[in-house]
Structures are given as C-alpha cells and as structure tokens.
C-alpha cells in the first residue's frame, strides 16, 4: 500500500500538467459564460422590439380593452373595410392585424375574431390577446343574463389548502419545488461528473496500455493498487478542475454583468414574474423562498451530497477503468459502455418520474438502496425528508459495493492491460475473472 500515494500523485500531476487539460480548464468557463452572455444579449434585443398591432373593432365592444405596453403597441383603426386594413398592415411596419367583426350575438363575434399576420404570431402574445378578449366577452355575457360580473367575482372563493406534517411543520408547493430543484440539480451534476471524468479514466488506461508503459509499471505494483491510484488520482484532478470552473464562472459572470451591463436572467419568465410581483407591491414570494430555504436540512444535504457524490463516482470510475483495460482503442468501448450507462440513465428517469410523484413510495425507496442508482435517487429524495438510518444504510451499501467492484474490476484490469490485438467479448472477460 505504500505505493498508492505515489500512484495517486503521478496520476494527478500527469492530468493537471496535460496541455489539453489546462486549456479546457480555463477555456470552458469562458465559453460557458460567453454563451450565456450572448443568449442574455439576444434576449434583451428581442425584448426591446416593439410590436405594432392594428385593431379593427367593428363591434366597438373592445375599444377600451387594448392597453399598449413596452413591447406591444396597439393602433385602433377608424371605420374602414377589412381589405383596406389588411393593405395598410402589409405596407406599414405592422406586426399583425386583429379583426373583430360586428354581429348580433357575442357567440358570433367570438367565432369571427381573426388575427392576420405575415408569419405565425408569438404564442405568448396570442395567449395574452385571447385571455383579454375572453374576459371581456364573459363579462358582457353575464350582463346579458342580468348578472353583475363584479358580484360574481366577489362571490368566488379561491382555495389554497395549507400543508402541514403531523409533527406540526408547515410545508408548501414552493418548498416542494425547491426540494425538487435541489435534488434534480444534485443528481444531474453527479450524472455529468461521472460521464466526463469516467471517460477520462478510461482514456488514461487505454493510452498507457497502447504505449506499453503499463508493462513497466505492473512489474512493481499490484494491479489493484494501480487501479485504485488511477481512480483516486483522476478524481482529485477532476475535483480540481471543477472547483476552478466554479470560481472562474462566478468571477466572469460578475465581470460580464458589471462591465457590459448584461444580466443573464433578464427576460426570463421567472425574472419577469418576480419583477411584476415586486411592482405589485408585495414581496411575499421572495420571503417565502427564503423561509423555505431556511427550512431545508442544509447540513444533512451537504454531508450526504458529498458522500453519495464521491461514492457514486468511485463506483462507476472502477467500471470505466476496467473497460479501458479490456480494449485497445476508444472505438472498441462502445459495446461495454451501454451496460454501464443504463443504470445511470435509469436512475435519472426514476428520480424525475417517481420521486416527483411519491418520494417515499416503494419504487423510490427500492432504487435508493440499489448502489448503481442510489447516488441519484437518494440525493433527490433527501430534501423531502428521509430518515437518517435509511441514508446511512444506503451509503454503506454504496461504499461496500465500490470495494467489491474494485476487486471485480481489478481481476479484469490485471489481465486486460496485458492483452493486445484482440477485441474481447463478454465470454472472454468472464474467463478472465476465473484466472
């Protein structure tokens, strides 16, 4: 075991001193921030566009309903024919023409409303227009029936049931959404980390195998120690790169937003909703978000995130190393990658489609104990309140499986690293396990 620190150090320094590793470490955050800045800039340009909409209301019932905004400007046309209105809309820089016919019944008017434009209009814009017209028509319909629409609105009672556990702890839809966001982000982050740095381990093994350097190394180091050294060394290099990415992205985002005046969140529906809420004179939504974040078991989430993140990555990294030892080139890995990725993909689907519906159901609990799916599924379940003993058992099963998987992968590794010129089959790999 005294060789293990030397192997880890060698693998780590080999990775971080690699030119491509250094270039991508600093280039990736620049590309990432650049793309978001470009999207934000284009969104701002799109939001600055003013759409001119001509309105020909022959009925005269909706003339007071059209109120222009910063992005939409309504132009009420005089009493002209529909053909003349179309010609004017086509010659002028008009986004579209809204035609409201005149009829004796509101039903006929509703069926005859038409929006003319050169291209397909914006869906949010059409939804806004339809909602406005529908509200006015329903109000007029109630008046025809001798009913006061204001009285009916006052009689309506909106129900938003309070949520509370049997222990007296209050919950809410907002809190459930935040828990789902955290769990989904944690699971997706682990999924991407495994794919990116698992492939790095596999390529490292293939490179050493094809260059025959492994024959010299294996003469003084046991295959199991060499496998562990590669896994731990590459893991540390990946964590180093990931931390640098986080720091650089935060710094670059700060520079972009302050120097160029670009807000990456500008124009997003969530941002607009928050701004409209604040403009409306209430900050209750923001206060509720802060309260729900404070109610989350932050300490438990952080500790378990680290344990499941490390355990899940080490488990899959050992399989990637075994695949790298079994083949001679990266193109030959395709037949072995699908069995490795399928449990990981299954974990993501189970997490999003079962944890959302019932985080404490049978399916969610079973997959949170299976070591190949537990890092993703359990991370998505923990924010919803999982007993500590279940989390501990899942972690112990995960790390126990990793130890067994290292033994399994080492038996493939010790034979595969010395095999050249032949594509191994599953049958042949099974023979290697019995050597």
């Amino acid at each position: 075991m005294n060789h293990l620190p030397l192997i880890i150090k060698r693998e780590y320094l080999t990775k971080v001193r690699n030119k491509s590793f250094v270039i991508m470490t600093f280039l990736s955050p620049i590309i990432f921030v650049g793309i978001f800045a470009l999207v934000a800039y284009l969104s701002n340009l799109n939001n600055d566009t003013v759409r001119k909409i001509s309105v020909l209301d022959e009925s005269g019932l909706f003339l007071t309903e059209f109120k222009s905004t910063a992005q939409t400007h309504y132009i009420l046309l005089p009493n002209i024919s529909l053909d003349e209105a179309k010609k004017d809309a086509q010659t002028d820089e008009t986004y579209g023409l809204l035609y409201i016919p005149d009829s004796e019944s509101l039903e006929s008017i509703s069926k005859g409303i038409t929006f003319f434009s050169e291209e397909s209009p914006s869906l949010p814009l059409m939804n806004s227009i339809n909602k406005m017209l529908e509200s006015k028509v329903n109000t007029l319909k109630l008046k025809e029936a001798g009913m006061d629409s204001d009285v009916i609105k006052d009689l309506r009672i909106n129900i938003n049931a309070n949520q509370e556990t049997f222990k007296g702890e209050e919950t809410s839809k907002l809190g459930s959404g935040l828990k789902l966001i955290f769990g989904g982000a944690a699971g997706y982050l682990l999924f991407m980390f495994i794919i990116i740095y698992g492939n790095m381990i596999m390529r490292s093994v293939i490179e050493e195998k094809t260059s025959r350097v492994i024959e010299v190394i294996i003469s003084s180091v046991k295959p199991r120690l060499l496998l562990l050294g590669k896994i731990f060394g590459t893991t540390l290099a990946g964590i180093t790169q990931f931390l640098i990415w986080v720091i650089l992205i935060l710094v670059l985002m700060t520079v972009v937003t302050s120097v160029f005046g670009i807000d990456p969140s500008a124009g997003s529906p969530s941002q607009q909703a928050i701004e409209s809420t604040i403009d409306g004179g209430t900050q209750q939504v923001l206060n509720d978000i802060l309260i729900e974040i404070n109610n989350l078991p932050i300490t438990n989430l952080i500790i378990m995130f680290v344990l499941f993140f490390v355990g899940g990555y080490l488990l899959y990294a050992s399989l990637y190393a075994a695949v790298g030892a079994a083949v001679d080139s990266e193109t030959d890995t395709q037949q072995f990658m699908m069995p490795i990725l399928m449990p990981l993909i299954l974990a993501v689907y189970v997490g999003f489609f079962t944890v959302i519906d019932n985080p404490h159901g049978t399916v969610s609990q079973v997959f949170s104990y299976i070591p190949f799916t537990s890092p993703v599924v359990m991370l998505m379940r923990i924010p919803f309140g999982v007993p500590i003993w279940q989390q501990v058992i899942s972690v112990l099963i995960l790390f126990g499986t990793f130890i067994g998987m290292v033994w399994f992968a080492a038996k493939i590794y010790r034979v595969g690293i010395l095999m050249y010129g032949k594509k191994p089959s599953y049958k042949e790999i099974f023979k290697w396990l019995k050597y």
Side-chain angles (χ1 to χ4, degrees), residues 66-81:
F66 297 98
K67 298 179 181 179
S68 299
T69 62
Q71 285 78 34
T72 307
H73 182 61
Y74 292 101
I75 302 174
L76 299 179
L77 299 178
N79 294 327
I80 60 177
S81 65

Side-chain angles (χ1 to χ4, degrees), residues 163-179:
Q163 302 179 32
E164 188 173 320
T165 64
F166 288 110
K167 296 180 181 180
E169 299 175 352
E170 293 186 1
T171 60
S172 64
K173 293 181 179 179
L174 179 61
S176 300
L178 290 175
K179 294 173 183 178

Side-chain angles (χ1 to χ4, degrees), residues 105-341:
S105 64
L106 293 173
E107 288 80 2
S108 300
I109 294 176
S110 302
K111 293 179 181 179
I113 295 176
T114 308
F115 188 88
F116 299 94
S117 62
E118 289 290 342
E119 300 175 352
S120 298
S122 168
L123 290 178
L125 174 64
M126 292 306 302
N127 289 334
S128 176
I129 293 176
N130 290 332
K131 186 176 180 181
M132 180 268 294
L133 295 176
E134 182 179 339
S135 176
K136 181 64 176 180
V137 169
N138 289 329
T139 301
L140 295 174
K141 190 66 177 177
L142 290 173
K143 287 184 178 180
E144 285 185 357
M147 303 178 188
D148 191 342
S149 60
D150 294 332
V151 174
I152 292 177
K153 289 180 181 178
D154 293 337
L155 293 175
R156 291 180 61 87
I157 298 178
N158 296 324
I159 301 297
N160 188 12
N162 298 320
Q163 302 179 32
E164 188 173 320
T165 64
F166 288 110
K167 296 180 181 180
E169 299 175 352
E170 293 186 1
T171 60
S172 64
K173 293 181 179 179
L174 179 61
S176 300
L178 290 175
K179 294 173 183 178
L180 182 62
I181 290 172
F182 178 87
Y188 183 76
L189 183 62
L190 175 59
F191 178 81
M192 296 303 299
F193 197 88
I194 289 174
I195 292 178
I196 294 173
Y197 295 103
N199 278 289
M200 184 183 293
I201 292 177
M202 183 178 65
R203 286 193 297 268
S204 175
V205 175
I206 294 174
E207 289 173 2
E208 289 187 349
K209 179 180 176 180
T210 54
S211 64
R212 304 298 177 92
V213 175
I214 200 72
E215 296 179 357
V216 179
I217 300 176
I218 206 67
S219 62
S220 57
V221 180
K222 291 183 178 181
R224 191 174 302 170
L225 291 181
L226 185 59
L227 177 65
L228 283 174
K230 282 188 170 295
I231 294 174
F232 292 146
T234 306
T235 302
L236 291 176
I239 293 174
T240 301
Q241 188 179 55
F242 185 76
L243 292 176
I244 294 175
W245 281 351
V246 172
I247 295 172
L248 288 178
I249 288 175
L250 292 176
V251 173
L252 291 174
M253 291 288 277
T254 304
V255 172
V256 168
T257 54
S258 60
V259 176
F260 297 99
I262 297 176
D263 185 5
S265 62
S268 64
S270 59
Q271 182 73 10
Q272 292 175 356
I274 293 175
E275 290 176 355
S276 63
T277 303
I278 295 176
D279 293 339
T282 176
Q283 209 166 355
Q284 187 63 38
V285 175
L286 296 178
N287 294 333
D288 291 342
I289 292 175
L290 294 176
I291 292 172
E292 292 296 339
I293 292 176
N294 291 330
N295 291 335
L296 290 175
I298 301 298
T299 304
N300 182 21
L301 290 174
I302 294 175
I303 294 175
M304 287 302 164
F305 174 77
V306 173
L307 291 177
F308 279 105
F309 194 89
V310 173
Y313 173 75
L314 294 178
L315 176 62
Y316 278 94
S318 61
L319 294 176
Y320 273 96
V323 171
V327 299
D328 292 337
S329 63
E330 197 168 343
T331 56
D332 297 334
T333 62
Q334 302 304 317
Q335 60 176 325
F336 301 108
M337 292 307 300
M338 187 57 66
I340 296 177
L341 293 177

